[in-house]
Amino acid sequence: MEEIWKDIIGYENYYKVSNLGNVRSLDRLVNKPNKTSYIRKGKLCNQSKSNLGYMTVGFTVNNVKTNKYVHRLVAEAFILNTDNKPQVNH
């Protein structure tokens, strides 16, 4: 199966998710508090298992940290939700 990457909603210039459940960061310019900046190379993000048994991934954008469930990121990116339903049954 070919791996297809799509932007993560709300993190379009920072992270992508694949149809195989991988998450990666993108190359980006990071500004440090002392007015200097550097290029942060993109890489595959580490995933960990939540207490509920779901894989999660942590994001940091503008020094704000957020954790997301990987299965929800995949569903939002690859499954059409024409009926605007709040969740995916599996």
Side-chain angles (χ1 to χ4, degrees), residues 29-60:
L29 183 66
V30 175
N31 296 313
K32 295 172 72 174
N34 64 359
K35 307 283 188 206
T36 62
S37 59
Y38 66 96
I39 299 289
R40 176 177 285 163
K41 290 290 286 177
K43 63 179 182 174
L44 280 178
C45 298
N46 292 327
Q47 297 184 21
S48 59
K49 193 176 284 189
S50 73
N51 293 338
L52 299 173
Y54 295 110
M55 297 307 291
T56 63
V57 65
F59 297 147
T60 303

Tab-separated table of all heavy atoms in Angstrom, residues 29-60:
chain	number	residue	atom	x	y	z
A	29	LEU	N	10.779	27.322	10.020
A	29	LEU	CA	11.605	28.337	10.661
A	29	LEU	C	11.098	28.538	12.081
A	29	LEU	O	9.906	28.770	12.298
A	29	LEU	CB	11.534	29.646	9.880
A	29	LEU	CG	12.398	30.780	10.380
A	29	LEU	CD1	13.871	30.444	10.225
A	29	LEU	CD2	12.078	32.059	9.632
A	30	VAL	N	11.997	28.451	13.065
A	30	VAL	CA	11.633	28.621	14.472
A	30	VAL	C	12.331	29.875	14.987
A	30	VAL	O	13.545	30.035	14.847
A	30	VAL	CB	12.069	27.399	15.304
A	30	VAL	CG1	11.800	27.628	16.781
A	30	VAL	CG2	11.359	26.152	14.814
A	31	ASN	N	11.554	30.788	15.580
A	31	ASN	CA	12.100	32.011	16.160
A	31	ASN	C	12.323	31.798	17.641
A	31	ASN	O	11.414	31.407	18.368
A	31	ASN	CB	11.151	33.187	15.932
A	31	ASN	CG	11.000	33.504	14.466
A	31	ASN	OD1	11.989	33.588	13.752
A	31	ASN	ND2	9.779	33.664	14.014
A	32	LYS	N	13.540	32.076	18.095
A	32	LYS	CA	13.877	31.939	19.506
A	32	LYS	C	13.606	33.260	20.223
A	32	LYS	O	13.568	34.317	19.585
A	32	LYS	CB	15.348	31.530	19.646
A	32	LYS	CG	15.626	30.145	19.066
A	32	LYS	CD	17.083	29.824	19.031
A	32	LYS	CE	17.614	29.565	20.409
A	32	LYS	NZ	19.013	29.099	20.399
A	33	PRO	N	13.415	33.227	21.547
A	33	PRO	CA	13.124	34.460	22.291
A	33	PRO	C	14.212	35.523	22.188
A	33	PRO	O	13.923	36.711	22.306
A	33	PRO	CB	12.995	33.980	23.741
A	33	PRO	CG	12.688	32.533	23.645
A	33	PRO	CD	13.333	32.042	22.387
A	34	ASN	N	15.458	35.117	21.949
A	34	ASN	CA	16.549	36.095	21.849
A	34	ASN	C	16.676	36.691	20.445
A	34	ASN	O	17.721	37.200	20.078
A	34	ASN	CB	17.873	35.470	22.294
A	34	ASN	CG	18.305	34.330	21.389
A	34	ASN	OD1	17.610	33.988	20.428
A	34	ASN	ND2	19.437	33.734	21.694
A	35	LYS	N	15.614	36.599	19.664
A	35	LYS	CA	15.523	37.214	18.321
A	35	LYS	C	16.314	36.478	17.251
A	35	LYS	O	16.446	36.963	16.141
A	35	LYS	CB	15.940	38.686	18.335
A	35	LYS	CG	15.242	39.541	19.352
A	35	LYS	CD	13.863	39.885	18.922
A	35	LYS	CE	13.295	40.905	19.908
A	35	LYS	NZ	11.926	40.921	20.016
A	36	THR	N	16.880	35.312	17.552
A	36	THR	CA	17.528	34.521	16.519
A	36	THR	C	16.540	33.470	16.021
A	36	THR	O	15.510	33.223	16.642
A	36	THR	CB	18.793	33.816	17.061
A	36	THR	OG1	18.422	32.922	18.099
A	36	THR	CG2	19.801	34.824	17.568
A	37	SER	N	16.840	32.874	14.894
A	37	SER	CA	15.957	31.855	14.340
A	37	SER	C	16.798	30.748	13.715
A	37	SER	O	17.983	30.922	13.455
A	37	SER	CB	15.009	32.459	13.316
A	37	SER	OG	15.724	33.057	12.267
A	38	TYR	N	16.155	29.606	13.518
A	38	TYR	CA	16.834	28.475	12.896
A	38	TYR	C	15.803	27.615	12.172
A	38	TYR	O	14.604	27.723	12.422
A	38	TYR	CB	17.611	27.654	13.937
A	38	TYR	CG	16.743	26.965	14.957
A	38	TYR	CD1	16.369	25.637	14.792
A	38	TYR	CD2	16.287	27.630	16.088
A	38	TYR	CE1	15.565	24.994	15.725
A	38	TYR	CE2	15.493	26.999	17.030
A	38	TYR	CZ	15.134	25.686	16.838
A	38	TYR	OH	14.336	25.053	17.756
A	39	ILE	N	16.287	26.772	11.273
A	39	ILE	CA	15.420	25.843	10.547
A	39	ILE	C	15.345	24.542	11.336
A	39	ILE	O	16.362	23.924	11.617
A	39	ILE	CB	15.959	25.551	9.132
A	39	ILE	CG1	16.040	26.818	8.302
A	39	ILE	CG2	15.120	24.480	8.446
A	39	ILE	CD1	14.712	27.378	7.881
A	40	ARG	N	14.132	24.140	11.706
A	40	ARG	CA	13.931	22.840	12.358
A	40	ARG	C	13.546	21.849	11.277
A	40	ARG	O	12.555	22.037	10.576
A	40	ARG	CB	12.837	22.929	13.415
A	40	ARG	CG	12.536	21.554	14.031
A	40	ARG	CD	11.513	21.631	15.115
A	40	ARG	NE	12.161	22.197	16.295
A	40	ARG	CZ	11.498	22.704	17.322
A	40	ARG	NH1	10.192	22.749	17.305
A	40	ARG	NH2	12.147	23.182	18.355
A	41	LYS	N	14.351	20.804	11.142
A	41	LYS	CA	14.083	19.778	10.139
A	41	LYS	C	12.877	18.939	10.559
A	41	LYS	O	12.719	18.606	11.716
A	41	LYS	CB	15.298	18.857	9.982
A	41	LYS	CG	16.502	19.510	9.322
A	41	LYS	CD	16.287	19.795	7.875
A	41	LYS	CE	16.333	18.521	7.071
A	41	LYS	NZ	16.062	18.700	5.662
A	42	GLY	N	12.057	18.586	9.573
A	42	GLY	CA	10.921	17.730	9.835
A	42	GLY	C	11.355	16.298	10.087
A	42	GLY	O	12.422	15.868	9.640
A	43	LYS	N	10.534	15.551	10.844
A	43	LYS	CA	10.844	14.157	11.156
A	43	LYS	C	9.565	13.429	11.536
A	43	LYS	O	8.533	14.048	11.804
A	43	LYS	CB	11.863	14.060	12.287
A	43	LYS	CG	11.356	14.641	13.595
A	43	LYS	CD	12.381	14.511	14.684
A	43	LYS	CE	11.811	15.058	15.991
A	43	LYS	NZ	12.705	14.829	17.113
A	44	LEU	N	9.645	12.096	11.575
A	44	LEU	CA	8.521	11.309	12.065
A	44	LEU	C	8.356	11.581	13.552
A	44	LEU	O	9.335	11.644	14.295
A	44	LEU	CB	8.755	9.817	11.848
A	44	LEU	CG	8.484	9.280	10.454
A	44	LEU	CD1	8.812	7.792	10.401
A	44	LEU	CD2	7.045	9.507	10.031
A	45	CYS	N	7.116	11.734	13.980
A	45	CYS	CA	6.829	12.021	15.377
A	45	CYS	C	6.696	10.722	16.174
A	45	CYS	O	6.158	9.733	15.673
A	45	CYS	CB	5.526	12.807	15.496
A	45	CYS	SG	5.586	14.404	14.685
A	46	ASN	N	7.189	10.744	17.391
A	46	ASN	CA	7.037	9.606	18.284
A	46	ASN	C	5.586	9.506	18.743
A	46	ASN	O	4.946	10.515	19.021
A	46	ASN	CB	7.934	9.758	19.511
A	46	ASN	CG	9.398	9.669	19.173
A	46	ASN	OD1	9.776	8.949	18.259
A	46	ASN	ND2	10.217	10.393	19.904
A	47	GLN	N	5.100	8.288	18.817
A	47	GLN	CA	3.746	8.045	19.289
A	47	GLN	C	3.822	7.257	20.589
A	47	GLN	O	4.762	6.506	20.818
A	47	GLN	CB	2.946	7.265	18.245
A	47	GLN	CG	2.770	8.013	16.951
A	47	GLN	CD	1.894	7.274	15.957
A	47	GLN	OE1	1.107	6.415	16.321
A	47	GLN	NE2	2.032	7.618	14.695
A	48	SER	N	2.826	7.444	21.432
A	48	SER	CA	2.756	6.676	22.670
A	48	SER	C	1.318	6.212	22.874
A	48	SER	O	0.387	6.772	22.296
A	48	SER	CB	3.233	7.514	23.858
A	48	SER	OG	2.430	8.673	23.989
A	49	LYS	N	1.162	5.194	23.687
A	49	LYS	CA	-0.157	4.620	23.934
A	49	LYS	C	-0.798	5.299	25.139
A	49	LYS	O	-0.173	5.430	26.198
A	49	LYS	CB	-0.045	3.114	24.182
A	49	LYS	CG	-1.378	2.389	24.126
A	49	LYS	CD	-1.211	0.897	24.285
A	49	LYS	CE	-0.681	0.315	22.994
A	49	LYS	NZ	-0.693	-1.155	22.996
A	50	SER	N	-2.054	5.731	24.991
A	50	SER	CA	-2.785	6.362	26.085
A	50	SER	C	-3.257	5.302	27.072
A	50	SER	O	-3.165	4.100	26.815
A	50	SER	CB	-3.990	7.141	25.543
A	50	SER	OG	-5.005	6.237	25.135
A	51	ASN	N	-3.790	5.751	28.201
A	51	ASN	CA	-4.353	4.832	29.193
A	51	ASN	C	-5.522	4.033	28.627
A	51	ASN	O	-5.839	2.956	29.126
A	51	ASN	CB	-4.818	5.598	30.428
A	51	ASN	CG	-3.665	6.210	31.178
A	51	ASN	OD1	-2.529	5.773	31.048
A	51	ASN	ND2	-3.943	7.228	31.964
A	52	LEU	N	-6.169	4.554	27.591
A	52	LEU	CA	-7.300	3.874	26.956
A	52	LEU	C	-6.851	2.916	25.860
A	52	LEU	O	-7.671	2.235	25.255
A	52	LEU	CB	-8.272	4.901	26.381
A	52	LEU	CG	-8.895	5.868	27.392
A	52	LEU	CD1	-9.708	6.941	26.676
A	52	LEU	CD2	-9.742	5.120	28.394
A	53	GLY	N	-5.551	2.885	25.570
A	53	GLY	CA	-5.023	1.977	24.565
A	53	GLY	C	-4.909	2.561	23.176
A	53	GLY	O	-4.544	1.855	22.240
A	54	TYR	N	-5.212	3.850	23.003
A	54	TYR	CA	-5.118	4.501	21.706
A	54	TYR	C	-3.751	5.169	21.550
A	54	TYR	O	-3.188	5.690	22.524
A	54	TYR	CB	-6.207	5.562	21.537
A	54	TYR	CG	-7.603	5.014	21.518
A	54	TYR	CD1	-8.479	5.251	22.565
A	54	TYR	CD2	-8.048	4.259	20.441
A	54	TYR	CE1	-9.773	4.749	22.543
A	54	TYR	CE2	-9.341	3.755	20.403
A	54	TYR	CZ	-10.193	4.002	21.453
A	54	TYR	OH	-11.469	3.509	21.431
A	55	MET	N	-3.237	5.178	20.346
A	55	MET	CA	-1.966	5.845	20.070
A	55	MET	C	-2.183	7.356	20.033
A	55	MET	O	-3.165	7.844	19.460
A	55	MET	CB	-1.372	5.365	18.748
A	55	MET	CG	-1.037	3.880	18.735
A	55	MET	SD	-0.002	3.344	20.098
A	55	MET	CE	1.540	4.127	19.697
A	56	THR	N	-1.271	8.091	20.668
A	56	THR	CA	-1.343	9.548	20.691
A	56	THR	C	-0.037	10.127	20.181
A	56	THR	O	1.000	9.462	20.159
A	56	THR	CB	-1.588	10.079	22.119
A	56	THR	OG1	-0.488	9.729	22.945
A	56	THR	CG2	-2.876	9.546	22.704
A	57	VAL	N	-0.096	11.378	19.784
A	57	VAL	CA	1.083	12.109	19.326
A	57	VAL	C	0.991	13.520	19.891
A	57	VAL	O	-0.100	14.074	20.026
A	57	VAL	CB	1.183	12.104	17.781
A	57	VAL	CG1	0.048	12.861	17.139
A	57	VAL	CG2	2.512	12.642	17.311
A	58	GLY	N	2.140	14.082	20.269
A	58	GLY	CA	2.176	15.436	20.811
A	58	GLY	C	2.654	16.435	19.782
A	58	GLY	O	3.589	16.159	19.031
A	59	PHE	N	1.999	17.593	19.749
A	59	PHE	CA	2.369	18.687	18.856
A	59	PHE	C	2.822	19.874	19.696
A	59	PHE	O	2.289	20.115	20.774
A	59	PHE	CB	1.175	19.174	18.029
A	59	PHE	CG	0.600	18.158	17.086
A	59	PHE	CD1	-0.754	18.158	16.818
A	59	PHE	CD2	1.384	17.217	16.461
A	59	PHE	CE1	-1.303	17.241	15.935
A	59	PHE	CE2	0.849	16.296	15.584
A	59	PHE	CZ	-0.505	16.322	15.322
A	60	THR	N	3.772	20.624	19.173
A	60	THR	CA	4.146	21.896	19.772
A	60	THR	C	4.193	22.940	18.666
A	60	THR	O	4.956	22.801	17.714
A	60	THR	CB	5.519	21.820	20.463
A	60	THR	OG1	5.480	20.786	21.445
A	60	THR	CG2	5.868	23.135	21.131
